[in-house]
Amino acid sequence: MAAKDFALPDLGEGLTESELVSWHVAVGDTVELNQPLAEVETAKALVELPSPFAGVITKLYAEAGTTVQVGAPIVAFELEGSEGDSAGSSDAAKPEREPVLVGYGPPIEGDGRPARRARKGTSKAPTPAPAPAPDPHLKVEVVPPPASQTSLPIERVETPRSTPPVRKLARDLGIDLATVIGTGDKGLITREDVEAAVSGGSLRDAGKAGSSGSGTRRAETGERETRTPIQGVRKYTAAAMVQSAFTAPHASEFLTIDVTPTMELIATLKESSAFRGRRLNLLTVVSKALCIAVGRNPSVNTRWDEQAQEIVQFHYVNLGIATATPRGLMVPNIKDADALDLVGLADELSALVETAKAGTASPADLAGGTVSITNIGSFGIDAGTPILNTGEAMILALGAVKRMPWEYRGEIALRQVLTLSVSFDHRLVDGEQGSRFLADVGAILANPAVLLTMV
């Protein structure tokens, strides 16, 4: 057997550290090649780290919930092979692995580009079977990295298994997951388990819940404040917004329009065979209108490259959709959205939003956007001044659709009205160009038939 350390790889986002959210393995476990070892949270997404080796886990260098530097060892293996193998020959004994993650290198297509996410309805490669869940009561030896000689090995109790949304719910309610008994598959702690813990229904130690059974942190400890570390998506979002706000000179414009014709069109299309069983809404139509308006106003689909002192013009639209998730704001994007018809956009939007809200969006899903939409109307908001997604020249905010009195054919009538808001980087987009873009989107939504004059 040959010993081998595995260091935290570069996950392809230019980051120097990641939070180790949970372990899927324990010391003594035998793992297969590409078997998930741990779940780590980068600035944008939760990522499972697959094992680059087949062998036996001998050490865990980091505890769940800690931040690990890229390049630091996180787990040690005894690799499969003969006991007489030397350090030099152990590499030959290692099974050849298929790269599956940024940092080892994503699967590569024939043209040299990373493989793209399969669209809805296409076959997907089989997912490696998850490792058996460790016993939450099992004590595991965790040894510091070899570079640290000042501390001795410690023992800890394995962190209870749960999903990111459930962990957030537990934090919000002041529930310690170590006190909760999981009723899900293989002891997984579910949302229902956390909610039951609030009323004292499934705590490992009932005394921790307090006699009132309220389950809130203030009732248990009397604390008047809660402090949460700035990390993960929140840390990335904050840094990106500050960089965008103080780098790109923002300009914003607004346009209020009667979208009754578009709302009537959507109602008609929903009854058609092409959209039966598909989610079609105003965001879908706005996404198509944006792609068409970008083609007529290409300056909004650019990037300012400060280092090269160049303006990068994109000849494709990777459409970002700002999405509120349990982990915070995420902006996954639809690759080559301008090449999709309305049916294709409806499918991609549904898949994108579901993936983001489930916390399974990959770094590739979140990278490479060129323009974005934020649907503030879903919260009942009329208009706003959105901040640009870093590296993009334009973002469109979609307000709430409201019935209100409006001039229609020379009379006052109740119509469905909304306000569009656009922010753009004034280094790249002049006021005239930004105005023409917004007017094009508005013209399409006010009268979808105008598309016949644009394409």
Side-chain angles (χ1 to χ4, degrees):
M1 303 286 282
K4 189 73 174 179
D5 282 346
F6 172 49
L8 179 67
D10 177 3
L11 299 174
E13 299 180 35
L15 301 177
T16 59
E17 61 183 27
S18 295
E19 180 186 353
L20 199 158
V21 177
S22 64
W23 283 106
H24 294 330
V25 296
V27 170
D29 285 354
T30 299
V31 297
E32 300 177 353
L33 182 68
N34 286 339
Q35 178 177 324
L37 296 175
E39 186 177 55
V40 298
E41 182 175 38
T42 69
K44 298 181 181 179
L46 285 173
V47 177
E48 282 192 336
L49 292 179
S51 176
F53 311 115
V56 179
I57 302 294
T58 58
K59 296 178 184 177
L60 301 179
Y61 287 120
E63 294 190 30
T66 59
T67 299
V68 182
Q69 297 294 316
V70 170
I74 58 173
V75 61
F77 299 82
E78 284 289 347
L79 303 183
E80 296 177 348
S82 63
E83 294 184 0
D85 287 344
S86 65
S89 62
S90 63
D91 289 341
K94 289 184 290 182
E96 184 177 352
R97 62 185 175 89
E98 175 73 17
V100 294
L101 182 69
V102 174
Y104 326 163
I108 301 298
E109 295 178 341
D111 60 0
R113 295 184 300 171
R116 293 184 58 188
R117 175 169 58 89
R119 297 193 184 278
K120 187 174 181 180
T122 61
S123 60
K124 297 182 180 179
T127 302
D135 184 345
H137 297 288
L138 178 65
K139 289 190 175 181
V140 178
E141 182 183 14
V142 180
V143 181
S148 174
Q149 304 294 334
T150 59
S151 60
L152 296 176
I154 61 173
E155 290 188 342
R156 67 180 177 85
V157 177
E158 186 69 14
T159 302
R161 297 173 63 246
S162 60
T163 62
V166 172
R167 289 194 290 273
K168 181 179 185 300
L169 175 64
R171 288 195 298 269
D172 293 343
L173 296 177
I175 295 297
D176 182 359
L177 287 181
T179 67
V180 179
I181 299 174
T183 61
D185 184 34
K186 297 181 181 179
L188 180 72
I189 297 175
T190 66
R191 175 178 291 272
E192 290 73 21
D193 295 332
V194 174
E195 292 172 346
V198 174
S199 58
S202 63
L203 295 178
R204 299 182 190 272
D205 180 1
K208 294 182 180 180
S211 58
S212 67
S214 65
T216 63
R217 182 174 297 275
R218 184 170 180 180
E220 294 173 13
T221 66
E223 294 181 4
R224 294 170 61 85
E225 297 178 352
T226 298
R227 290 179 175 263
T228 303
I230 302 172
Q231 57 191 18
V233 171
R234 178 60 59 191
K235 181 177 181 180
Y236 170 82
T237 301
M241 292 299 98
V242 170
Q243 179 185 3
S244 176
F246 290 97
T247 301
H250 285 54
S252 297
E253 295 182 342
F254 307 88
L255 177 64
T256 302
I257 51 175
D258 175 6
V259 294
T260 306
T262 290
M263 303 307 292
E264 292 173 345
L265 174 63
I266 291 172
T268 300
L269 289 176
K270 284 183 177 180
E271 301 299 322
S272 67
S273 58
F275 287 95
R276 190 167 297 127
R278 287 185 165 92
R279 182 185 301 171
L280 175 65
N281 52 29
L282 181 61
L283 179 60
T284 313
V285 178
V286 172
S287 297
K288 187 62 180 176
L290 178 145
C291 290
I292 293 170
V294 164
R296 291 165 55 86
N297 304 276
S299 66
V300 303
N301 195 36
T302 56
R303 179 172 64 86
W304 183 278
D305 189 333
E306 182 67 30
Q307 184 173 2
Q309 285 295 290
E310 294 175 339
I311 294 175
V312 181
Q313 175 69 64
F314 301 111
H315 301 294
Y316 56 89
V317 177
N318 286 351
L319 179 59
I321 305 295
T323 307
T325 77
R327 296 176 56 234
L329 177 66
M330 304 179 76
V331 191
N333 61 81
I334 300 172
K335 302 298 190 287
D336 298 319
D338 55 317
L340 298 174
D341 59 15
L342 201 60
V343 172
L345 276 173
D347 289 344
E348 289 293 322
L349 279 168
S350 296
L352 175 147
V353 173
E354 290 174 5
T355 298
K357 289 187 175 180
T360 57
S362 69
D365 293 328
L366 299 161
T370 63
V371 294
S372 295
I373 295 177
T374 177
N375 186 10
I376 58 177
S378 62
F379 304 103
I381 304 302
D382 296 334
T385 54
I387 296 178
L388 294 166
N389 204 21
T390 303
E392 298 178 12
M394 189 277 299
I395 183 171
L396 177 70
L398 178 62
V401 177
K402 296 184 176 180
R403 288 179 60 83
M404 60 178 60
W406 195 261
E407 182 182 355
Y408 178 66
R409 295 181 178 177
E411 299 180 353
I412 299 298
L414 278 178
R415 304 290 286 176
Q416 298 187 77
V417 177
L418 72 75
T419 298
L420 298 171
S421 312
V422 66
S423 292
F424 52 86
D425 185 340
H426 222 320
R427 297 174 301 177
L428 295 162
V429 183
D430 295 335
E432 177 187 2
Q433 297 163 334
S435 299
R436 290 187 182 278
F437 166 81
L438 186 58
D440 280 349
V441 175
I444 294 171
L445 298 180
N447 181 12
V450 78
L451 277 174
L452 296 175
T453 68
M454 293 184 175
V455 296

